Amino acid sequence: MTGQPIPVIIDCDTGVDDALALLFAVRHPGLDLRAVTCVAGNTDVDGVVRNTLTVLEQAGAPDIPVGRGAERPLLEPARPAEHVHGADGMGDLGLPAPARTASELDAVALLRREILASPRPVTLIPTAPLTNIALLLRTHPEVTRNIERIVFMGGAVATGNATPVAEFNVWHDPEAAAILLTAGVPITMYGLDVFMRVVMEAPDVHRLRASRDPGTRLAGELLAHRPTAVGEEPEAEEAGGLGDAGAVCAVADPDGITTRLLPVEVCLAPGAARGQTIVDRRPRHGESEIHGGRREQALVDVALDVDVARYLKLYLDTVERP
Ligand code: BDR
Ligand code: CA
């Protein structure tokens, strides 16, 4: 690594894989994690704050400020994913309550303060519904002058997870995601297409779980967590997806993903496609545009491919650092 660490802020809904992202960000020497902000998503926002503080404590992180953010999306009710992330939102691992407490500033105020105070432009990494980011952009648009870029986990080129076509983070607050896309700063979309592919093999998970270091061991426990869908037996395998942590890998090591600058639009209409990210991969205009249809979607750097082995090695090398 050369040069100074990249100042980053993670906006998360911790969340099993958000926790994996935090553990990586805290330990990567090329990243300077300046704040973490919390939003309702995988669980309620107070649960997200508690989980985030616990992870930072277990990781032995310095005193990084944590801001509590939106309790619910801009228009929709909160629709948590506890069937995936456990009743406590972080795998029900029985971790002790954190001794740390959240900042007195709420998430939007903390984001504003840290972005504007940073000596170098900040990279924002949302790994959650985009509610806090939309509120920030609407309340304090001046922050964009000190944002280098936004690398968000969300959306999908192909298949969704919350619905057949919509990814959870965008589906949970589609209006907020649409606001993000028009932020006027460079945006990278680390969507489900790459998110689903970075899966650690069982022997590595097993080794992490056996570590004497609490942060490393926690990474192993989180990777071994399996959601139990109604009527399904949990999988025996210990292999586990990096999930949101892949988006942080994409900041630390951007050459590990292949991106293309493409028009992206969020479907806001009610119905089956609500929350879908419509990614225009056509090589040229179609009949719609020829006959006067609009083509004004935001241009986003969309991750289309990922070097899986490279990110798995990067993750292990970072989280197993002494
Ligand atoms: C996203 O939704 C959450 O369950 C994960 O933490 C990730 O951010 C994947 O759709
Ligand atoms: Ca998340």
Side-chain angles (χ1 to χ4, degrees):
M1 189 200 74
T2 53
Q4 292 182 303
I6 302 166
V8 300
I9 300 178
I10 295 181
D11 183 73
C12 56
D13 60 341
T14 323
V16 171
D17 55 329
D18 303 80
L20 292 169
L22 292 168
L23 287 166
F24 176 83
V26 163
R27 295 207 168 168
H28 194 285
L31 303 177
D32 171 18
L33 182 61
R34 301 183 71 88
V36 182
T37 49
C38 302
V39 67
N42 290 327
T43 190
D44 64 277
V45 72
D46 290 316
V48 173
V49 171
R50 183 199 59 229
N51 293 342
T52 300
L53 293 166
T54 297
V55 173
L56 294 175
E57 207 164 274
Q58 296 286 318
D63 195 13
I64 296 165
V66 173
R68 180 185 187 278
E71 286 189 17
R72 52 165 286 188
L74 299 181
L75 300 184
E76 303 279 2
R79 293 169 289 179
E82 282 147 6
H83 60 293
V84 177
H85 295 265
D88 72 355
M90 211 174 62
D92 296 323
L93 300 176
L95 295 167
R100 299 179 182 206
T101 54
S103 165
E104 286 178 2
L105 295 182
D106 65 53
V108 170
L110 182 62
L111 281 160
R112 178 184 182 275
R113 183 187 78 183
E114 293 298 326
I115 291 168
L116 293 180
S118 174
R120 284 174 304 119
V122 170
T123 296
L124 277 188
I125 315 176
T127 59
L130 285 313
T131 321
N132 286 344
I133 306 302
L135 292 169
L136 172 74
L137 292 168
R138 285 293 186 259
T139 317
H140 305 293
E142 72 277 11
V143 294
T144 57
R145 69 166 186 256
N146 209 31
I147 294 178
E148 179 78 24
R149 62 193 190 112
I150 300 176
V151 178
F152 79 103
M153 188 289 129
V157 180
T159 310
N161 54 1
T163 77
V165 295
E167 180 281 330
F168 175 80
N169 290 339
V170 174
W171 168 84
H172 200 253
D173 196 342
E175 281 71 23
I179 290 171
L180 166 90
L181 295 187
T182 57
V185 298
I187 295 178
T188 300
M189 177 174 127
Y190 185 88
L192 274 186
D193 319 272
V194 283
F195 171 101
M196 297 297 294
R197 291 182 44 207
V198 190
V199 179
M200 190 157 304
E201 293 192 357
D204 291 323
V205 178
H206 191 70
R207 191 179 66 254
L208 294 174
R209 289 182 85 179
S211 170
R212 296 171 61 145
D213 176 276
T216 310
R217 200 165 55 240
L218 177 57
E221 296 295 335
L222 292 162
L223 283 160
H225 168 75
R226 286 291 163 281
T228 328
V230 183
E232 271 180 25
E233 287 298 312
E235 298 159 44
E237 267 291 272
E238 276 193 315
L242 291 195
D244 289 338
V248 191
C249 292
V251 174
D253 179 17
D255 292 341
I257 52 171
T258 307
T259 65
R260 246 175 82 194
L261 200 59
L262 294 167
V264 179
E265 187 176 2
V266 179
C267 175
L268 300 177
R274 182 161 164 80
Q276 180 181 13
T277 43
I278 301 166
V279 180
D280 190 350
R281 300 181 68 183
R282 295 174 301 169
R284 62 184 74 84
H285 284 178
E287 286 71 15
S288 165
E289 292 79 11
I290 291 165
H291 293 288
R294 82 190 165 91
R295 199 189 190 195
E296 293 167 6
Q297 303 99 321
L299 283 174
V300 175
D301 237 338
V302 179
L304 297 175
D305 198 6
V306 58
D307 185 336
V308 174
R310 179 170 171 146
Y311 277 2
L312 291 176
K313 180 175 185 320
L314 175 66
Y315 194 84
L316 285 171
D317 288 350
T318 303
V319 169
E320 292 189 292
R321 281 167 69 86

Short mmCIF file of all heavy atoms in Angstrom, two decimals, residues 11-19 41-42 85 126-129 153 167-169 195 243-244, ligand 2:
data_model
loop_
_atom_site.label_atom_id
_atom_site.label_comp_id
_atom_site.label_asym_id
_atom_site.label_seq_id
_atom_site.Cartn_x
_atom_site.Cartn_y
_atom_site.Cartn_z
N ASP A 11 -22.32 3.71 6.27
CA ASP A 11 -23.70 3.87 6.71
C ASP A 11 -24.34 2.48 6.62
O ASP A 11 -24.45 1.93 5.52
CB ASP A 11 -24.44 4.87 5.82
CG ASP A 11 -25.85 5.11 6.30
OD1 ASP A 11 -26.02 5.78 7.33
OD2 ASP A 11 -26.79 4.61 5.64
N CYS A 12 -24.76 1.92 7.76
CA CYS A 12 -25.08 0.49 7.77
C CYS A 12 -26.36 0.16 8.55
O CYS A 12 -26.92 1.01 9.23
CB CYS A 12 -23.90 -0.28 8.37
SG CYS A 12 -23.45 0.30 10.01
N ASP A 13 -26.77 -1.11 8.42
CA ASP A 13 -27.92 -1.62 9.18
C ASP A 13 -27.52 -2.94 9.84
O ASP A 13 -28.17 -3.96 9.65
CB ASP A 13 -29.18 -1.76 8.29
CG ASP A 13 -28.98 -2.72 7.13
OD1 ASP A 13 -27.81 -3.01 6.76
OD2 ASP A 13 -29.99 -3.19 6.57
N THR A 14 -26.44 -2.91 10.57
CA THR A 14 -25.78 -4.09 11.15
C THR A 14 -26.79 -5.00 11.86
O THR A 14 -27.31 -4.66 12.92
CB THR A 14 -24.71 -3.64 12.19
OG1 THR A 14 -24.08 -2.47 11.69
CG2 THR A 14 -23.72 -4.72 12.49
N GLY A 15 -27.01 -6.14 11.35
CA GLY A 15 -26.66 -6.83 10.10
C GLY A 15 -25.39 -7.67 10.15
O GLY A 15 -24.32 -7.16 10.47
N VAL A 16 -25.60 -9.01 9.89
CA VAL A 16 -24.48 -9.95 9.90
C VAL A 16 -23.37 -9.49 8.95
O VAL A 16 -22.20 -9.39 9.34
CB VAL A 16 -24.98 -11.37 9.51
CG1 VAL A 16 -23.82 -12.31 9.29
CG2 VAL A 16 -25.92 -11.91 10.57
N ASP A 17 -23.71 -9.19 7.71
CA ASP A 17 -22.65 -8.89 6.75
C ASP A 17 -22.18 -7.43 6.87
O ASP A 17 -21.04 -7.11 6.50
CB ASP A 17 -23.06 -9.23 5.31
CG ASP A 17 -24.34 -8.56 4.88
OD1 ASP A 17 -25.22 -8.32 5.72
OD2 ASP A 17 -24.46 -8.25 3.67
N ASP A 18 -23.03 -6.54 7.42
CA ASP A 18 -22.54 -5.19 7.74
C ASP A 18 -21.44 -5.31 8.80
O ASP A 18 -20.44 -4.58 8.77
CB ASP A 18 -23.67 -4.33 8.31
CG ASP A 18 -24.84 -4.22 7.36
OD1 ASP A 18 -25.64 -5.18 7.32
OD2 ASP A 18 -24.98 -3.22 6.67
N ALA A 19 -21.63 -6.23 9.75
CA ALA A 19 -20.62 -6.45 10.80
C ALA A 19 -19.31 -6.91 10.16
O ALA A 19 -18.22 -6.47 10.55
CB ALA A 19 -21.14 -7.46 11.81
N GLY A 41 -33.13 -1.17 8.92
CA GLY A 41 -33.03 -2.03 7.73
C GLY A 41 -33.15 -3.47 8.16
O GLY A 41 -34.26 -3.95 8.39
N ASN A 42 -32.00 -4.11 8.35
CA ASN A 42 -32.04 -5.52 8.75
C ASN A 42 -32.77 -5.70 10.08
O ASN A 42 -33.41 -6.72 10.31
CB ASN A 42 -30.61 -6.06 8.89
CG ASN A 42 -29.94 -6.20 7.53
OD1 ASN A 42 -30.60 -6.49 6.53
ND2 ASN A 42 -28.65 -5.98 7.49
N HIS A 85 -31.15 -12.27 9.50
CA HIS A 85 -30.06 -11.79 10.37
C HIS A 85 -30.26 -12.15 11.85
O HIS A 85 -29.49 -11.72 12.69
CB HIS A 85 -29.91 -10.27 10.22
CG HIS A 85 -29.46 -9.88 8.84
ND1 HIS A 85 -28.14 -9.66 8.53
CD2 HIS A 85 -30.15 -9.72 7.68
CE1 HIS A 85 -28.04 -9.35 7.23
NE2 HIS A 85 -29.25 -9.39 6.71
N PRO A 126 -22.41 3.22 1.82
CA PRO A 126 -23.68 2.76 2.38
C PRO A 126 -23.84 1.25 2.11
O PRO A 126 -23.69 0.80 0.98
CB PRO A 126 -24.74 3.56 1.62
CG PRO A 126 -23.98 4.66 0.91
CD PRO A 126 -22.61 4.09 0.66
N THR A 127 -24.15 0.50 3.17
CA THR A 127 -24.39 -0.94 3.02
C THR A 127 -25.79 -1.27 3.55
O THR A 127 -26.01 -2.32 4.14
CB THR A 127 -23.33 -1.74 3.81
OG1 THR A 127 -23.41 -1.37 5.21
CG2 THR A 127 -21.92 -1.48 3.31
N ALA A 128 -26.71 -0.35 3.33
CA ALA A 128 -28.03 -0.43 3.98
C ALA A 128 -29.02 0.37 3.13
O ALA A 128 -28.63 1.05 2.17
CB ALA A 128 -27.90 0.18 5.38
N PRO A 129 -30.30 0.36 3.51
CA PRO A 129 -31.24 1.27 2.85
C PRO A 129 -30.70 2.70 2.88
O PRO A 129 -30.05 3.10 3.86
CB PRO A 129 -32.51 1.10 3.67
CG PRO A 129 -32.42 -0.30 4.20
CD PRO A 129 -30.96 -0.50 4.51
N MET A 153 -23.63 -0.72 -1.47
CA MET A 153 -24.15 -2.06 -1.71
C MET A 153 -25.65 -1.92 -1.89
O MET A 153 -26.35 -1.48 -0.96
CB MET A 153 -23.85 -2.99 -0.53
CG MET A 153 -24.21 -4.47 -0.81
SD MET A 153 -25.96 -4.82 -0.88
CE MET A 153 -26.09 -5.70 -2.42
N GLU A 167 -33.54 -5.62 -5.04
CA GLU A 167 -32.60 -5.95 -3.95
C GLU A 167 -33.08 -5.26 -2.67
O GLU A 167 -33.62 -4.15 -2.73
CB GLU A 167 -31.20 -5.48 -4.38
CG GLU A 167 -30.09 -5.73 -3.38
CD GLU A 167 -30.06 -4.73 -2.24
OE1 GLU A 167 -30.45 -3.56 -2.46
OE2 GLU A 167 -29.67 -5.11 -1.13
N PHE A 168 -32.81 -5.87 -1.50
CA PHE A 168 -33.38 -5.39 -0.23
C PHE A 168 -33.11 -3.91 0.05
O PHE A 168 -34.04 -3.16 0.40
CB PHE A 168 -32.85 -6.25 0.94
CG PHE A 168 -33.30 -5.75 2.28
CD1 PHE A 168 -34.57 -6.03 2.77
CD2 PHE A 168 -32.47 -4.94 3.06
CE1 PHE A 168 -35.00 -5.54 4.00
CE2 PHE A 168 -32.89 -4.46 4.30
CZ PHE A 168 -34.16 -4.75 4.77
N ASN A 169 -31.85 -3.45 -0.04
CA ASN A 169 -31.54 -2.08 0.38
C ASN A 169 -32.29 -1.04 -0.45
O ASN A 169 -32.74 -0.02 0.07
CB ASN A 169 -30.03 -1.80 0.30
CG ASN A 169 -29.25 -2.57 1.35
OD1 ASN A 169 -29.81 -2.98 2.37
ND2 ASN A 169 -27.96 -2.77 1.10
N PHE A 195 -22.21 -9.25 -5.19
CA PHE A 195 -22.40 -9.51 -3.75
C PHE A 195 -22.54 -11.01 -3.47
O PHE A 195 -21.93 -11.54 -2.53
CB PHE A 195 -23.66 -8.75 -3.34
CG PHE A 195 -24.22 -8.98 -1.97
CD1 PHE A 195 -23.98 -8.06 -0.96
CD2 PHE A 195 -25.04 -10.06 -1.69
CE1 PHE A 195 -24.53 -8.23 0.31
CE2 PHE A 195 -25.60 -10.24 -0.44
CZ PHE A 195 -25.34 -9.33 0.56
N GLY A 243 -20.81 -10.72 1.65
CA GLY A 243 -21.91 -9.77 1.57
C GLY A 243 -21.42 -8.33 1.49
O GLY A 243 -20.60 -7.96 0.64
N ASP A 244 -21.93 -7.48 2.41
CA ASP A 244 -21.60 -6.05 2.40
C ASP A 244 -20.09 -5.80 2.47
O ASP A 244 -19.62 -4.74 2.00
CB ASP A 244 -22.24 -5.36 3.60
CG ASP A 244 -23.74 -5.24 3.49
OD1 ASP A 244 -24.26 -5.30 2.36
OD2 ASP A 244 -24.39 -5.08 4.53
CA CA B 2 -26.61 -4.28 5.09
#
